[in-house]
Amino acid sequence: MRKYYFTIALILFLAIGITSCSNEENKTQNNTASRPTIPIMANEVQIGNQIWMTKNLNVSRYRNGDPIPQVTDPTQWANLTTGAWCYYENDLNYGKIYGKLYNWYAVNDPRGLAPQGYHVPSDTEWETLISFLGGMTVAGGKLKATTRWTFANNSASNSSGFTGLPGGFRRYFGYFNSIGIEGQWWSSTEFDSDNAYFRMLGYDSAYVFRTADFKIGGLSVRCVKD
């Protein structure tokens, strides 16, 4: 008789435990589904079905270990047809905050600019991100960090967790501009033989601007997980 009651108690205990776990799992899944962005690990955030880095790329070697040349001289920069990087105004202190600026030849190098497990997003992947956040007219505010912008940072909430910073750029003939005012990020997609697509956030708008620039320009890079 005692063994009988013990068996009944054990069955009830297991049934309650399984039901509780199932309810907790469903609750977790429902909560996750309703969240637009999900922190995955340090320096990553899930936005929709994509996992993005939350910092600009700051590597000085390709994935295979080969060095990427640092080019500071404006004339040399303007004549490059291979990958290179620089800091904004060639100042390491900017690099600590905004990462490096890369020309598109580095983005497109077959040795791989992004770390293992990541890649530089295509123009289509940028579009997927922006569409998930409500489209180009409003997504910028959700992508922009709420600090580091020099001027009034209109509509910035960083609700996506992307933390877009105004790292400025280096134009094709070597000059630097727009630190604190604009952030520009390469895509891996060519526009034509001389230009490639990129996305831009500005201090005064919730827009995400899509345009193309000379491949020799120096822009930030943000990676997405494979």
Side-chain angles (χ1 to χ4, degrees), residues 24 31 44 55 64 74 76 79 94-95 124 145 157 162 172 176 181 186 202-203 207 225:
E24 195 62 35
N31 288 342
E44 280 186 357
K55 291 186 176 182
N64 73 345
Q76 184 183 356
N79 288 287
Y94 283 125
T124 300
S157 68
F162 182 86
Y172 65 93
F176 298 93
I181 298 174
W186 281 121
Y203 76 94
Y207 268 77
K225 209 160 194 176

Side-chain angles (χ1 to χ4, degrees), residues 24-212:
E24 195 62 35
E25 183 179 352
N26 290 337
K27 188 187 298 181
T28 300
Q29 290 175 344
N30 290 337
N31 288 342
T32 300
S34 65
R35 294 174 61 187
T37 61
I38 306 167
I40 302 301
M41 57 181 291
N43 303 326
E44 280 186 357
V45 65
Q46 182 171 339
I47 309 175
N49 292 322
Q50 299 171 314
I51 297 176
W52 289 81
M53 287 186 173
T54 58
K55 291 186 176 182
N56 293 341
L57 196 63
N58 196 20
V59 299
S60 57
R61 291 181 178 273
Y62 292 110
R63 188 183 302 173
N64 73 345
D66 290 347
I68 308 168
Q70 179 183 10
V71 176
T72 59
D73 180 76
T75 302
Q76 184 183 356
W77 182 275
N79 288 287
L80 287 169
T81 56
T82 55
W85 68 268
C86 63
Y87 295 121
Y88 188 89
E89 292 186 348
N90 299 314
D91 186 338
L92 173 61
N93 291 318
Y94 283 125
K96 292 176 181 177
I97 300 169
Y98 301 105
K100 293 178 172 64
L101 300 175
Y102 300 89
N103 64 18
W104 194 80
Y105 300 114
V107 170
N108 194 49
D109 194 287
R111 290 170 287 184
L113 179 61
Q116 188 69 38
Y118 297 86
H119 61 276
V120 180
S122 67
D123 185 59
T124 300
E125 287 175 304
W126 275 110
E127 186 58 39
T128 297
L129 171 68
I130 293 160
S131 295
F132 179 79
L133 295 176
M136 63 181 293
T137 61
V138 298
K142 300 173 184 179
L143 291 169
K144 288 192 291 183
T146 56
T147 60
R148 298 288 180 186
W149 295 79
T150 302
F151 297 100
N153 191 10
N154 290 354
S155 305
S157 68
N158 196 32
S159 61
S160 69
F162 182 86
T163 316
L165 293 173
F169 54 82
R170 188 177 197 176
R171 277 295 169 255
Y172 65 93
F173 46 89
Y175 81 93
F176 298 93
N177 201 5
S178 292
I179 194 80
I181 298 174
E182 293 179 5
Q184 299 186 6
W185 293 269
W186 281 121
S187 81
S188 61
T189 305
E190 286 183 290
F191 174 74
D192 58 26
S193 60
D194 296 317
N195 299 272
Y197 286 109
F198 71 94
R199 302 291 169 139
M200 186 193 84
L201 302 176
Y203 76 94
D204 59 348
S205 174
Y207 268 77
V208 182
F209 297 91
R210 173 182 181 262
T211 186

